[in-house]
Amino acid sequence: RTAVENLKIRVYRVYGDGASMYGKSYSLINPEYVPFYRNFAGLPNANSGQYLLKGSVPLKDISVGRWFAAPLDGNTGGLPIELYLNFNKVANPANVLIKKPF
């Protein structure tokens, strides 16, 4: 049981401007491979989406916030499994500056 609980799961967070890297919403899905990610993730207008945080979290620390991302600010949402995490649980966070915002 302990080995499974400590299994590291890759997580992603898109942020910028009014949304900081320390926010609570993360995804299991790499935004770099999702066309129109902003729309499907239901990102708020305050989030410029110019940065991408990549990290990993032990399976035991993952909490499903919603089964699907909620619609917000005209974006449809619907991306599967929105995670709610505390930033301090994210191991080895790496920030990537994205030239074209999500």
Side-chain angles (χ1 to χ4, degrees), residues 35-36 41 72-73 86-87 94 101:
F36 310 108
L72 188 60
D73 291 342
N86 288 326
F87 178 79

Side-chain angles (χ1 to χ4, degrees), residues 64-85:
V64 174
R66 299 175 192 259
W67 288 107
F68 297 96
L72 188 60
D73 291 342
N75 291 317
T76 60
L79 194 68
I81 309 179
E82 180 181 350
L83 307 176
Y84 292 167
L85 303 171

Side-chain angles (χ1 to χ4, degrees), residues 12-68:
Y12 305 89
R13 175 170 171 74
V14 171
Y15 68 97
D17 286 343
S20 82
M21 67 184 286
Y22 302 105
K24 67 172 184 166
S25 296
Y26 293 78
S27 178
L28 296 171
I29 299 170
N30 186 339
E32 295 174 297
Y33 300 111
V34 179
F36 310 108
Y37 182 83
R38 167 179 282 296
N39 182 49
F40 295 123
L43 294 183
N45 290 338
N47 185 340
S48 67
Q50 67 192 105
Y51 299 100
L52 173 61
L53 178 111
K54 298 178 181 181
S56 59
V57 177
L59 186 58
K60 67 182 177 189
D61 293 331
I62 290 180
S63 174
V64 174
R66 299 175 192 259
W67 288 107
F68 297 96

